Amino acid sequence: MQIEKNVPMPNTRADYPYKYMEVGDSVLIDHSCGNLGAAQAYAHVYGRQAGRKFRTRTIPEGLRVWRVA
């Protein structure tokens, strides 16, 4: 193995639109967006921090996230 210096880390943080959603809105996160499990977890973590509630369901197209409160 070779040690390398000054190699930038790739940006792996996805920008999910949860903070812009209103009650009744939903968003489809398809398989091309990366890790659906991470998107689901972030919806619940963000909801807890922001005082909002989200519901998620895995569907054939990917992950659907609804804002419910």
Side-chain angles (χ1 to χ4, degrees):
M1 285 188 250
Q2 180 179 358
I3 297 174
E4 300 176 332
K5 297 186 183 294
N6 299 320
V7 177
M9 282 184 57
N11 183 9
T12 57
R13 184 174 185 272
D15 292 322
Y16 300 111
Y18 304 145
K19 66 180 175 182
Y20 305 110
M21 294 174 70
E22 297 178 5
V23 175
D25 290 351
S26 71
V27 63
L28 174 64
I29 301 169
D30 64 19
H31 297 283
S32 68
C33 292
N35 186 346
L36 299 182
Q40 181 180 28
Y42 184 69
H44 294 292
V45 169
Y46 174 76
R48 204 173 315 120
Q49 292 173 346
R52 300 175 182 183
K53 291 192 180 204
F54 295 91
R55 295 289 182 260
T56 60
R57 295 291 181 269
T58 302
I59 58 175
E61 296 83 8
L63 179 76
R64 171 98 27 208
V65 181
W66 290 268
R67 179 167 171 205
V68 295

